Amino acid sequence: MSAHCQLTGVKPVFGNNVSHSHRRTRRRWDPNIQRRRYWLPSEGRHVRLTLSARAIKAIDRIGIDQAVAQIRARGEKI
C-alpha cells in the first residue's frame, strides 16, 4: 500500500534524525493512512479508498459524493 492519500494527496515527508551529538541520519514521516470502504449511493456500489485521518474527517463533513468528485477531478481512478 503506497503511503499517499487519495483525497488530500498527502505523502511522506523526509528529513533528518538529529542526535545529541548532532549526527544526522535520514528519516521519513509517514501520514496516518487508512483504507476505508464507503457506500456510494449515486453509483449503487462500494468504493475502497486510501485516506489520511484528516481526509476521513473531511468526508464526514462534506459527504462521500463530493469527495469522490474531488478525487476524480485530480485525475485518480476509483
Side-chain angles (χ1 to χ4, degrees), residues 1 4-7 33-40 43 45-52 56 59 64 67-68 71-72 76-78:
M1 178 169 67
H4 84 281
C5 175
Q6 288 180 297
L7 182 61
I33 297 294
Q34 312 289 324
R35 284 183 56 84
R36 292 289 300 262
R37 193 174 84 139
Y38 289 97
W39 173 253
L40 195 56
E43 297 181 14
R45 68 184 182 107
H46 286 95
V47 291
R48 188 173 297 275
L49 300 174
T50 304
L51 302 167
S52 63
I56 292 171
I59 288 176
I64 186 64
V68 167
I71 292 170
R72 287 185 174 144
E76 288 201 40
K77 186 173 182 254
I78 296 178

Side-chain angles (χ1 to χ4, degrees), residues 3 5 8-9 12 15 19 21 23 28 30 34-35 46-47 53 56 60 66 73 77:
C5 175
T8 61
S19 72
S21 63
R23 291 177 61 94
R28 73 186 236 171
D30 287 326
Q34 312 289 324
R35 284 183 56 84
H46 286 95
V47 291
I56 292 171
D60 291 342
Q66 188 177 351
K77 186 173 182 254

